[in-house]
Amino acid sequence: QVQLLESGGGLVQTGGSLRLSCAVSGGTFRSGAAGWFRQSPGKEREFVAGIFRNNGRQYYADSVKGRFTISTNNAKNTLFLEMNGLRSEDAAVYYCAHDQRLILSSLRLPNEYDFWGQGTTVTVSS
């Protein structure tokens, strides 16, 4: 059974940077796609970034494009989200997710992912 565990969240000032990690156990990110989502109080979970394993192509929400970078390590067992230029609106609980058969049209849809981490909290102070 694939399990995901996020880490790296914390408190950062506006304009600062954080790097989130998502370690996978019971499998790897060798197929399908993996993504990062976030959820703020009172809001729906939203897509942040995703990456496909077969071609390494990355996709981003417009709100984070140019500031965030999604990647994996060579062993394909850790997913990262490098976040720069953080803004107050980036504050949320961040979740990593994985699905072994995801297609492009489903990448941004949280209900299409089979595996989720427990989340890590990012707080941005002004």
Side-chain angles (χ1 to χ4, degrees):
Q1 178 73 5
V2 173
Q3 292 184 323
L4 307 179
L5 181 64
E6 303 96 335
S7 61
L11 174 63
V12 63
Q13 290 187 331
T14 301
S17 300
L18 279 177
R19 189 191 198 201
L20 304 183
S21 299
C22 173
V24 60
S25 60
T28 66
F29 292 123
R30 291 189 181 278
S31 64
W36 287 97
F37 290 77
R38 65 187 182 188
Q39 188 167 19
S40 303
K43 294 187 177 181
E44 293 186 352
R45 191 167 297 189
E46 65 172 354
F47 172 80
V48 175
I51 185 168
F52 279 95
R53 292 318 315 142
N54 61 347
N55 57 19
R57 292 195 66 173
Q58 304 159 22
Y59 299 83
Y60 297 93
D62 289 342
S63 59
V64 306
K65 202 172 295 183
R67 300 187 298 124
F68 291 11
T69 302
I70 187 172
S71 63
T72 62
N73 63 348
N74 288 336
K76 307 285 192 297
N77 58 9
T78 306
L79 181 72
F80 301 102
L81 185 68
E82 187 76 35
M83 304 187 295
N84 299 311
L86 283 163
R87 306 167 180 169
S88 58
E89 55 264 38
D90 296 319
V93 178
Y94 282 71
Y95 299 89
C96 66
H98 172 51
D99 190 273
Q100 297 173 338
R101 291 177 296 275
L102 208 65
I103 59 175
L104 180 57
S105 60
S106 300
L107 184 69
R108 299 170 187 263
L109 304 176
N111 290 340
E112 295 293 329
Y113 288 76
D114 283 341
F115 304 106
W116 288 86
Q118 85 294 341
T120 186
T121 301
V122 172
T123 305
V124 183
S125 65
S126 57

mmCIF file of all heavy atoms in Angstrom, residues 48-97:
data_model
loop_
_atom_site.group_PDB
_atom_site.id
_atom_site.type_symbol
_atom_site.label_atom_id
_atom_site.label_comp_id
_atom_site.label_asym_id
_atom_site.label_seq_id
_atom_site.Cartn_x
_atom_site.Cartn_y
_atom_site.Cartn_z
ATOM 1 N N VAL A 48 -2.110 22.783 -7.155
ATOM 2 C CA VAL A 48 -0.966 23.690 -7.150
ATOM 3 C C VAL A 48 0.007 23.339 -8.270
ATOM 4 O O VAL A 48 0.371 24.199 -9.071
ATOM 5 C CB VAL A 48 -0.234 23.636 -5.793
ATOM 6 C CG1 VAL A 48 1.038 24.487 -5.820
ATOM 7 C CG2 VAL A 48 -1.161 24.086 -4.667
ATOM 8 N N ALA A 49 0.419 22.079 -8.318
ATOM 9 C CA ALA A 49 1.390 21.653 -9.327
ATOM 10 C C ALA A 49 1.303 20.144 -9.494
ATOM 11 O O ALA A 49 0.926 19.436 -8.561
ATOM 12 C CB ALA A 49 2.805 22.054 -8.916
ATOM 13 N N GLY A 50 1.669 19.663 -10.685
ATOM 14 C CA GLY A 50 1.663 18.238 -10.941
ATOM 15 C C GLY A 50 2.776 17.871 -11.898
ATOM 16 O O GLY A 50 3.269 18.721 -12.655
ATOM 17 N N ILE A 51 3.182 16.612 -11.848
ATOM 18 C CA ILE A 51 4.251 16.133 -12.714
ATOM 19 C C ILE A 51 3.921 14.718 -13.153
ATOM 20 O O ILE A 51 3.480 13.890 -12.358
ATOM 21 C CB ILE A 51 5.610 16.201 -11.986
ATOM 22 C CG1 ILE A 51 6.756 15.808 -12.922
ATOM 23 C CG2 ILE A 51 5.613 15.339 -10.722
ATOM 24 C CD1 ILE A 51 8.143 16.131 -12.340
ATOM 25 N N PHE A 52 4.139 14.442 -14.433
ATOM 26 C CA PHE A 52 3.934 13.110 -14.972
ATOM 27 C C PHE A 52 5.261 12.354 -14.982
ATOM 28 O O PHE A 52 6.298 12.899 -15.355
ATOM 29 C CB PHE A 52 3.357 13.175 -16.387
ATOM 30 C CG PHE A 52 1.884 13.411 -16.400
ATOM 31 C CD1 PHE A 52 1.384 14.689 -16.532
ATOM 32 C CD2 PHE A 52 0.991 12.360 -16.281
ATOM 33 C CE1 PHE A 52 0.020 14.928 -16.546
ATOM 34 C CE2 PHE A 52 -0.367 12.579 -16.293
ATOM 35 C CZ PHE A 52 -0.862 13.867 -16.421
ATOM 36 N N ARG A 53 5.205 11.094 -14.600
ATOM 37 C CA ARG A 53 6.415 10.309 -14.524
ATOM 38 C C ARG A 53 6.935 9.875 -15.890
ATOM 39 O O ARG A 53 8.128 9.748 -16.107
ATOM 40 C CB ARG A 53 6.201 9.078 -13.645
ATOM 41 C CG ARG A 53 5.989 9.366 -12.200
ATOM 42 C CD ARG A 53 6.922 10.438 -11.671
ATOM 43 N NE ARG A 53 8.286 10.233 -12.124
ATOM 44 C CZ ARG A 53 9.099 11.221 -12.465
ATOM 45 N NH1 ARG A 53 8.684 12.474 -12.426
ATOM 46 N NH2 ARG A 53 10.336 10.973 -12.849
ATOM 47 N N ASN A 54 6.069 9.647 -16.846
ATOM 48 C CA ASN A 54 6.545 9.088 -18.122
ATOM 49 C C ASN A 54 7.350 10.087 -18.920
ATOM 50 O O ASN A 54 8.261 9.703 -19.652
ATOM 51 C CB ASN A 54 5.364 8.575 -18.950
ATOM 52 C CG ASN A 54 4.379 9.678 -19.301
ATOM 53 O OD1 ASN A 54 4.429 10.766 -18.747
ATOM 54 N ND2 ASN A 54 3.483 9.379 -20.214
ATOM 55 N N ASN A 55 7.057 11.377 -18.792
ATOM 56 C CA ASN A 55 7.791 12.363 -19.577
ATOM 57 C C ASN A 55 8.333 13.522 -18.743
ATOM 58 O O ASN A 55 9.013 14.397 -19.275
ATOM 59 C CB ASN A 55 6.912 12.921 -20.703
ATOM 60 C CG ASN A 55 5.626 13.540 -20.185
ATOM 61 O OD1 ASN A 55 5.513 13.869 -19.018
ATOM 62 N ND2 ASN A 55 4.650 13.666 -21.063
ATOM 63 N N GLY A 56 8.040 13.524 -17.446
ATOM 64 C CA GLY A 56 8.561 14.561 -16.569
ATOM 65 C C GLY A 56 7.918 15.922 -16.749
ATOM 66 O O GLY A 56 8.365 16.910 -16.157
ATOM 67 N N ARG A 57 6.867 16.013 -17.543
ATOM 68 C CA ARG A 57 6.262 17.305 -17.788
ATOM 69 C C ARG A 57 5.578 17.817 -16.525
ATOM 70 O O ARG A 57 4.957 17.062 -15.779
ATOM 71 C CB ARG A 57 5.260 17.225 -18.937
ATOM 72 C CG ARG A 57 5.925 16.957 -20.278
ATOM 73 C CD ARG A 57 4.997 17.246 -21.429
ATOM 74 N NE ARG A 57 4.691 18.675 -21.508
ATOM 75 C CZ ARG A 57 4.000 19.208 -22.510
ATOM 76 N NH1 ARG A 57 3.541 18.436 -23.476
ATOM 77 N NH2 ARG A 57 3.748 20.486 -22.522
ATOM 78 N N GLN A 58 5.703 19.122 -16.328
ATOM 79 C CA GLN A 58 5.184 19.762 -15.131
ATOM 80 C C GLN A 58 4.047 20.708 -15.494
ATOM 81 O O GLN A 58 4.061 21.330 -16.559
ATOM 82 C CB GLN A 58 6.299 20.541 -14.435
ATOM 83 C CG GLN A 58 7.508 19.693 -14.089
ATOM 84 C CD GLN A 58 8.745 20.536 -13.881
ATOM 85 O OE1 GLN A 58 8.657 21.739 -13.599
ATOM 86 N NE2 GLN A 58 9.899 19.929 -13.985
ATOM 87 N N TYR A 59 3.111 20.835 -14.590
ATOM 88 C CA TYR A 59 1.970 21.713 -14.788
ATOM 89 C C TYR A 59 1.730 22.476 -13.490
ATOM 90 O O TYR A 59 1.905 21.939 -12.398
ATOM 91 C CB TYR A 59 0.731 20.907 -15.172
ATOM 92 C CG TYR A 59 0.899 20.148 -16.456
ATOM 93 C CD1 TYR A 59 1.531 18.905 -16.488
ATOM 94 C CD2 TYR A 59 0.453 20.689 -17.665
ATOM 95 C CE1 TYR A 59 1.710 18.217 -17.668
ATOM 96 C CE2 TYR A 59 0.626 19.996 -18.856
ATOM 97 C CZ TYR A 59 1.254 18.777 -18.844
ATOM 98 O OH TYR A 59 1.428 18.102 -20.027
ATOM 99 N N TYR A 60 1.324 23.734 -13.641
ATOM 100 C CA TYR A 60 1.164 24.598 -12.473
ATOM 101 C C TYR A 60 -0.143 25.381 -12.544
ATOM 102 O O TYR A 60 -0.637 25.714 -13.614
ATOM 103 C CB TYR A 60 2.327 25.602 -12.401
ATOM 104 C CG TYR A 60 3.675 24.953 -12.225
ATOM 105 C CD1 TYR A 60 4.469 24.640 -13.319
ATOM 106 C CD2 TYR A 60 4.148 24.652 -10.947
ATOM 107 C CE1 TYR A 60 5.701 24.022 -13.158
ATOM 108 C CE2 TYR A 60 5.379 24.042 -10.770
ATOM 109 C CZ TYR A 60 6.142 23.725 -11.880
ATOM 110 O OH TYR A 60 7.366 23.122 -11.706
ATOM 111 N N ALA A 61 -0.659 25.676 -11.371
ATOM 112 C CA ALA A 61 -1.756 26.636 -11.288
ATOM 113 C C ALA A 61 -1.211 28.007 -11.681
ATOM 114 O O ALA A 61 -0.048 28.321 -11.407
ATOM 115 C CB ALA A 61 -2.309 26.668 -9.870
ATOM 116 N N ASP A 62 -2.034 28.809 -12.305
ATOM 117 C CA ASP A 62 -1.592 30.141 -12.737
ATOM 118 C C ASP A 62 -1.079 30.963 -11.558
ATOM 119 O O ASP A 62 -0.153 31.772 -11.710
ATOM 120 C CB ASP A 62 -2.740 30.879 -13.414
ATOM 121 C CG ASP A 62 -3.065 30.295 -14.777
ATOM 122 O OD1 ASP A 62 -2.219 29.567 -15.339
ATOM 123 O OD2 ASP A 62 -4.170 30.566 -15.277
ATOM 124 N N SER A 63 -1.660 30.760 -10.403
ATOM 125 C CA SER A 63 -1.309 31.571 -9.234
ATOM 126 C C SER A 63 0.104 31.313 -8.724
ATOM 127 O O SER A 63 0.647 32.133 -7.971
ATOM 128 C CB SER A 63 -2.316 31.336 -8.113
ATOM 129 O OG SER A 63 -2.333 29.970 -7.744
ATOM 130 N N VAL A 64 0.696 30.179 -9.092
ATOM 131 C CA VAL A 64 2.033 29.854 -8.580
ATOM 132 C C VAL A 64 3.064 29.755 -9.689
ATOM 133 O O VAL A 64 4.258 29.573 -9.401
ATOM 134 C CB VAL A 64 2.017 28.545 -7.772
ATOM 135 C CG1 VAL A 64 0.969 28.599 -6.683
ATOM 136 C CG2 VAL A 64 1.822 27.327 -8.660
ATOM 137 N N LYS A 65 2.647 29.868 -10.921
ATOM 138 C CA LYS A 65 3.559 29.718 -12.047
ATOM 139 C C LYS A 65 4.680 30.745 -11.968
ATOM 140 O O LYS A 65 4.443 31.927 -11.723
ATOM 141 C CB LYS A 65 2.779 29.870 -13.358
ATOM 142 C CG LYS A 65 3.434 29.244 -14.557
ATOM 143 C CD LYS A 65 2.478 29.273 -15.754
ATOM 144 C CE LYS A 65 1.258 28.412 -15.526
ATOM 145 N NZ LYS A 65 0.356 28.378 -16.698
ATOM 146 N N GLY A 66 5.895 30.262 -12.137
ATOM 147 C CA GLY A 66 7.051 31.146 -12.051
ATOM 148 C C GLY A 66 7.613 31.293 -10.650
ATOM 149 O O GLY A 66 8.720 31.816 -10.467
ATOM 150 N N ARG A 67 6.873 30.852 -9.651
ATOM 151 C CA ARG A 67 7.341 30.950 -8.255
ATOM 152 C C ARG A 67 7.584 29.577 -7.636
ATOM 153 O O ARG A 67 8.467 29.420 -6.798
ATOM 154 C CB ARG A 67 6.319 31.700 -7.402
ATOM 155 C CG ARG A 67 6.052 33.123 -7.860
ATOM 156 C CD ARG A 67 5.148 33.861 -6.868
ATOM 157 N NE ARG A 67 3.833 33.243 -6.747
ATOM 158 C CZ ARG A 67 3.314 32.821 -5.603
ATOM 159 N NH1 ARG A 67 3.983 32.925 -4.481
ATOM 160 N NH2 ARG A 67 2.087 32.275 -5.574
ATOM 161 N N PHE A 68 6.798 28.587 -8.035
ATOM 162 C CA PHE A 68 6.892 27.246 -7.467
ATOM 163 C C PHE A 68 7.465 26.282 -8.511
ATOM 164 O O PHE A 68 7.215 26.440 -9.710
ATOM 165 C CB PHE A 68 5.522 26.732 -7.040
ATOM 166 C CG PHE A 68 4.909 27.430 -5.852
ATOM 167 C CD1 PHE A 68 5.434 28.600 -5.330
ATOM 168 C CD2 PHE A 68 3.777 26.897 -5.250
ATOM 169 C CE1 PHE A 68 4.858 29.237 -4.244
ATOM 170 C CE2 PHE A 68 3.186 27.507 -4.155
ATOM 171 C CZ PHE A 68 3.727 28.685 -3.664
ATOM 172 N N THR A 69 8.178 25.269 -8.024
ATOM 173 C CA THR A 69 8.719 24.241 -8.911
ATOM 174 C C THR A 69 8.486 22.871 -8.291
ATOM 175 O O THR A 69 8.844 22.642 -7.131
ATOM 176 C CB THR A 69 10.218 24.440 -9.129
ATOM 177 O OG1 THR A 69 10.453 25.747 -9.676
ATOM 178 C CG2 THR A 69 10.755 23.396 -10.103
ATOM 179 N N ILE A 70 7.916 21.972 -9.077
ATOM 180 C CA ILE A 70 7.691 20.606 -8.630
ATOM 181 C C ILE A 70 8.771 19.716 -9.241
ATOM 182 O O ILE A 70 9.178 19.921 -10.394
ATOM 183 C CB ILE A 70 6.279 20.117 -9.023
ATOM 184 C CG1 ILE A 70 5.988 18.745 -8.406
ATOM 185 C CG2 ILE A 70 6.096 20.101 -10.533
ATOM 186 C CD1 ILE A 70 4.543 18.299 -8.609
ATOM 187 N N SER A 71 9.231 18.746 -8.460
ATOM 188 C CA SER A 71 10.264 17.846 -8.964
ATOM 189 C C SER A 71 10.247 16.556 -8.159
ATOM 190 O O SER A 71 9.569 16.466 -7.127
ATOM 191 C CB SER A 71 11.647 18.506 -8.873
ATOM 192 O OG SER A 71 11.981 18.768 -7.513
ATOM 193 N N THR A 72 10.999 15.573 -8.644
ATOM 194 C CA THR A 72 11.214 14.339 -7.892
ATOM 195 C C THR A 72 12.705 14.043 -7.844
ATOM 196 O O THR A 72 13.469 14.581 -8.655
ATOM 197 C CB THR A 72 10.487 13.139 -8.515
ATOM 198 O OG1 THR A 72 11.004 12.917 -9.822
ATOM 199 C CG2 THR A 72 8.991 13.374 -8.600
ATOM 200 N N ASN A 73 13.108 13.185 -6.931
ATOM 201 C CA ASN A 73 14.514 12.783 -6.900
ATOM 202 C C ASN A 73 14.743 11.643 -7.888
ATOM 203 O O ASN A 73 13.798 11.114 -8.483
ATOM 204 C CB ASN A 73 14.932 12.389 -5.485
ATOM 205 C CG ASN A 73 14.172 11.173 -4.967
ATOM 206 O OD1 ASN A 73 13.184 10.749 -5.555
ATOM 207 N ND2 ASN A 73 14.635 10.627 -3.867
ATOM 208 N N ASN A 74 16.001 11.286 -8.095
ATOM 209 C CA ASN A 74 16.318 10.276 -9.098
ATOM 210 C C ASN A 74 15.715 8.926 -8.769
ATOM 211 O O ASN A 74 15.366 8.160 -9.667
ATOM 212 C CB ASN A 74 17.834 10.144 -9.246
ATOM 213 C CG ASN A 74 18.435 11.347 -9.941
ATOM 214 O OD1 ASN A 74 17.761 12.051 -10.691
ATOM 215 N ND2 ASN A 74 19.706 11.598 -9.695
ATOM 216 N N ALA A 75 15.591 8.614 -7.508
ATOM 217 C CA ALA A 75 15.031 7.323 -7.114
ATOM 218 C C ALA A 75 13.517 7.291 -7.237
ATOM 219 O O ALA A 75 12.907 6.240 -7.065
ATOM 220 C CB ALA A 75 15.435 7.009 -5.669
ATOM 221 N N LYS A 76 12.934 8.431 -7.550
ATOM 222 C CA LYS A 76 11.478 8.539 -7.745
ATOM 223 C C LYS A 76 10.700 8.157 -6.491
ATOM 224 O O LYS A 76 9.579 7.655 -6.579
ATOM 225 C CB LYS A 76 11.019 7.652 -8.924
ATOM 226 C CG LYS A 76 11.749 7.874 -10.222
ATOM 227 C CD LYS A 76 11.320 9.145 -10.902
ATOM 228 C CE LYS A 76 11.820 9.233 -12.336
ATOM 229 N NZ LYS A 76 13.271 9.255 -12.452
ATOM 230 N N ASN A 77 11.302 8.378 -5.323
ATOM 231 C CA ASN A 77 10.549 8.078 -4.110
ATOM 232 C C ASN A 77 10.295 9.300 -3.240
ATOM 233 O O ASN A 77 9.804 9.186 -2.119
ATOM 234 C CB ASN A 77 11.254 6.990 -3.290
ATOM 235 C CG ASN A 77 12.671 7.389 -2.918
ATOM 236 O OD1 ASN A 77 13.085 8.527 -3.126
ATOM 237 N ND2 ASN A 77 13.404 6.462 -2.348
ATOM 238 N N THR A 78 10.666 10.462 -3.751
ATOM 239 C CA THR A 78 10.381 11.700 -3.031
ATOM 240 C C THR A 78 9.931 12.767 -4.017
ATOM 241 O O THR A 78 10.553 12.948 -5.064
ATOM 242 C CB THR A 78 11.606 12.192 -2.251
ATOM 243 O OG1 THR A 78 12.093 11.157 -1.399
ATOM 244 C CG2 THR A 78 11.233 13.403 -1.386
ATOM 245 N N LEU A 79 8.886 13.450 -3.654
ATOM 246 C CA LEU A 79 8.347 14.558 -4.447
ATOM 247 C C LEU A 79 8.651 15.851 -3.713
ATOM 248 O O LEU A 79 8.548 15.900 -2.483
ATOM 249 C CB LEU A 79 6.834 14.380 -4.605
ATOM 250 C CG LEU A 79 6.071 15.407 -5.425
ATOM 251 C CD1 LEU A 79 6.387 15.229 -6.909
ATOM 252 C CD2 LEU A 79 4.571 15.269 -5.189
ATOM 253 N N PHE A 80 9.016 16.876 -4.447
ATOM 254 C CA PHE A 80 9.357 18.157 -3.840
ATOM 255 C C PHE A 80 8.482 19.274 -4.405
ATOM 256 O O PHE A 80 7.986 19.183 -5.531
ATOM 257 C CB PHE A 80 10.820 18.511 -4.109
ATOM 258 C CG PHE A 80 11.797 17.497 -3.599
ATOM 259 C CD1 PHE A 80 12.388 16.592 -4.476
ATOM 260 C CD2 PHE A 80 12.138 17.449 -2.265
ATOM 261 C CE1 PHE A 80 13.300 15.653 -4.021
ATOM 262 C CE2 PHE A 80 13.052 16.517 -1.787
ATOM 263 C CZ PHE A 80 13.631 15.615 -2.672
ATOM 264 N N LEU A 81 8.350 20.311 -3.613
ATOM 265 C CA LEU A 81 7.740 21.550 -4.092
ATOM 266 C C LEU A 81 8.574 22.698 -3.556
ATOM 267 O O LEU A 81 8.566 22.980 -2.358
ATOM 268 C CB LEU A 81 6.293 21.696 -3.636
ATOM 269 C CG LEU A 81 5.567 22.915 -4.206
ATOM 270 C CD1 LEU A 81 5.363 22.754 -5.717
ATOM 271 C CD2 LEU A 81 4.222 23.145 -3.515
ATOM 272 N N GLU A 82 9.319 23.321 -4.451
ATOM 273 C CA GLU A 82 10.119 24.481 -4.097
ATOM 274 C C GLU A 82 9.241 25.702 -4.251
ATOM 275 O O GLU A 82 8.704 25.955 -5.339
ATOM 276 C CB GLU A 82 11.334 24.564 -5.021
ATOM 277 C CG GLU A 82 12.340 25.630 -4.644
ATOM 278 C CD GLU A 82 13.193 25.220 -3.456
ATOM 279 O OE1 GLU A 82 13.518 24.031 -3.329
ATOM 280 O OE2 GLU A 82 13.519 26.115 -2.644
ATOM 281 N N MET A 83 9.092 26.456 -3.176
ATOM 282 C CA MET A 83 8.201 27.616 -3.185
ATOM 283 C C MET A 83 9.012 28.872 -2.896
ATOM 284 O O MET A 83 9.635 28.986 -1.844
ATOM 285 C CB MET A 83 7.109 27.445 -2.135
ATOM 286 C CG MET A 83 6.312 26.173 -2.287
ATOM 287 S SD MET A 83 4.895 26.082 -1.166
ATOM 288 C CE MET A 83 5.726 26.038 0.412
ATOM 289 N N ASN A 84 9.006 29.798 -3.827
ATOM 290 C CA ASN A 84 9.704 31.065 -3.686
ATOM 291 C C ASN A 84 8.719 32.214 -3.790
ATOM 292 O O ASN A 84 7.635 32.061 -4.346
ATOM 293 C CB ASN A 84 10.777 31.189 -4.770
ATOM 294 C CG ASN A 84 11.826 30.103 -4.681
ATOM 295 O OD1 ASN A 84 12.384 29.840 -3.611
ATOM 296 N ND2 ASN A 84 12.105 29.441 -5.794
ATOM 297 N N GLY A 85 9.129 33.353 -3.291
ATOM 298 C CA GLY A 85 8.267 34.533 -3.367
ATOM 299 C C GLY A 85 6.912 34.322 -2.730
ATOM 300 O O GLY A 85 5.887 34.723 -3.287
ATOM 301 N N LEU A 86 6.909 33.726 -1.567
ATOM 302 C CA LEU A 86 5.638 33.369 -0.928
ATOM 303 C C LEU A 86 4.823 34.594 -0.575
ATOM 304 O O LEU A 86 5.359 35.629 -0.148
ATOM 305 C CB LEU A 86 5.909 32.515 0.304
ATOM 306 C CG LEU A 86 6.254 31.060 -0.029
ATOM 307 C CD1 LEU A 86 6.908 30.362 1.148
ATOM 308 C CD2 LEU A 86 5.006 30.308 -0.462
ATOM 309 N N ARG A 87 3.539 34.442 -0.752
ATOM 310 C CA ARG A 87 2.571 35.505 -0.492
ATOM 311 C C ARG A 87 1.603 35.051 0.586
ATOM 312 O O ARG A 87 1.474 33.855 0.855
ATOM 313 C CB ARG A 87 1.805 35.831 -1.774
ATOM 314 C CG ARG A 87 2.691 36.159 -2.967
ATOM 315 C CD ARG A 87 1.893 36.153 -4.242
ATOM 316 N NE ARG A 87 2.715 36.472 -5.411
ATOM 317 C CZ ARG A 87 2.302 36.319 -6.665
ATOM 318 N NH1 ARG A 87 1.082 35.859 -6.906
ATOM 319 N NH2 ARG A 87 3.101 36.630 -7.657
ATOM 320 N N SER A 88 0.874 35.992 1.138
ATOM 321 C CA SER A 88 -0.084 35.635 2.186
ATOM 322 C C SER A 88 -1.120 34.644 1.668
ATOM 323 O O SER A 88 -1.567 33.753 2.395
ATOM 324 C CB SER A 88 -0.764 36.891 2.720
ATOM 325 O OG SER A 88 -1.416 37.590 1.677
ATOM 326 N N GLU A 89 -1.475 34.775 0.404
ATOM 327 C CA GLU A 89 -2.498 33.886 -0.161
ATOM 328 C C GLU A 89 -1.987 32.467 -0.395
ATOM 329 O O GLU A 89 -2.771 31.579 -0.740
ATOM 330 C CB GLU A 89 -3.061 34.455 -1.461
ATOM 331 C CG GLU A 89 -2.022 34.773 -2.509
ATOM 332 C CD GLU A 89 -1.611 36.235 -2.498
ATOM 333 O OE1 GLU A 89 -1.511 36.821 -1.392
ATOM 334 O OE2 GLU A 89 -1.394 36.782 -3.601
ATOM 335 N N ASP A 90 -0.693 32.238 -0.228
ATOM 336 C CA ASP A 90 -0.143 30.895 -0.340
ATOM 337 C C ASP A 90 -0.285 30.096 0.946
ATOM 338 O O ASP A 90 -0.042 28.885 0.958
ATOM 339 C CB ASP A 90 1.337 30.940 -0.723
ATOM 340 C CG ASP A 90 1.571 31.533 -2.092
ATOM 341 O OD1 ASP A 90 0.803 31.220 -3.012
ATOM 342 O OD2 ASP A 90 2.543 32.315 -2.240
ATOM 343 N N ALA A 91 -0.642 30.755 2.022
ATOM 344 C CA ALA A 91 -0.792 30.065 3.298
ATOM 345 C C ALA A 91 -1.921 29.045 3.211
ATOM 346 O O ALA A 91 -3.038 29.370 2.787
ATOM 347 C CB ALA A 91 -1.089 31.072 4.401
ATOM 348 N N ALA A 92 -1.606 27.812 3.593
ATOM 349 C CA ALA A 92 -2.586 26.732 3.484
ATOM 350 C C ALA A 92 -1.962 25.455 4.028
ATOM 351 O O ALA A 92 -0.769 25.422 4.349
ATOM 352 C CB ALA A 92 -2.993 26.522 2.025
ATOM 353 N N VAL A 93 -2.773 24.427 4.101
ATOM 354 C CA VAL A 93 -2.247 23.079 4.310
ATOM 355 C C VAL A 93 -1.968 22.500 2.930
ATOM 356 O O VAL A 93 -2.839 22.512 2.058
ATOM 357 C CB VAL A 93 -3.240 22.196 5.079
ATOM 358 C CG1 VAL A 93 -2.675 20.784 5.233
ATOM 359 C CG2 VAL A 93 -3.553 22.804 6.444
ATOM 360 N N TYR A 94 -0.747 22.027 2.753
ATOM 361 C CA TYR A 94 -0.331 21.495 1.464
ATOM 362 C C TYR A 94 -0.307 19.964 1.535
ATOM 363 O O TYR A 94 0.226 19.385 2.487
ATOM 364 C CB TYR A 94 1.056 22.019 1.100
ATOM 365 C CG TYR A 94 1.026 23.434 0.582
ATOM 366 C CD1 TYR A 94 0.763 24.503 1.433
ATOM 367 C CD2 TYR A 94 1.229 23.705 -0.765
ATOM 368 C CE1 TYR A 94 0.718 25.806 0.957
ATOM 369 C CE2 TYR A 94 1.187 24.990 -1.246
ATOM 370 C CZ TYR A 94 0.929 26.045 -0.385
ATOM 371 O OH TYR A 94 0.872 27.330 -0.869
ATOM 372 N N TYR A 95 -0.880 19.358 0.501
ATOM 373 C CA TYR A 95 -0.971 17.910 0.421
ATOM 374 C C TYR A 95 -0.278 17.419 -0.851
ATOM 375 O O TYR A 95 -0.428 18.026 -1.910
ATOM 376 C CB TYR A 95 -2.433 17.471 0.357
ATOM 377 C CG TYR A 95 -3.272 17.858 1.541
ATOM 378 C CD1 TYR A 95 -3.945 19.077 1.562
ATOM 379 C CD2 TYR A 95 -3.420 17.001 2.625
ATOM 380 C CE1 TYR A 95 -4.726 19.441 2.647
ATOM 381 C CE2 TYR A 95 -4.209 17.350 3.705
ATOM 382 C CZ TYR A 95 -4.859 18.567 3.710
ATOM 383 O OH TYR A 95 -5.644 18.917 4.788
ATOM 384 N N CYS A 96 0.420 16.307 -0.729
ATOM 385 C CA CYS A 96 0.887 15.652 -1.943
ATOM 386 C C CYS A 96 -0.061 14.496 -2.250
ATOM 387 O O CYS A 96 -0.719 13.945 -1.359
ATOM 388 C CB CYS A 96 2.330 15.155 -1.802
ATOM 389 S SG CYS A 96 2.579 13.846 -0.602
ATOM 390 N N ALA A 97 -0.135 14.171 -3.506
ATOM 391 C CA ALA A 97 -1.055 13.136 -3.968
ATOM 392 C C ALA A 97 -0.423 12.375 -5.123
ATOM 393 O O ALA A 97 0.425 12.905 -5.845
ATOM 394 C CB ALA A 97 -2.379 13.757 -4.386
#
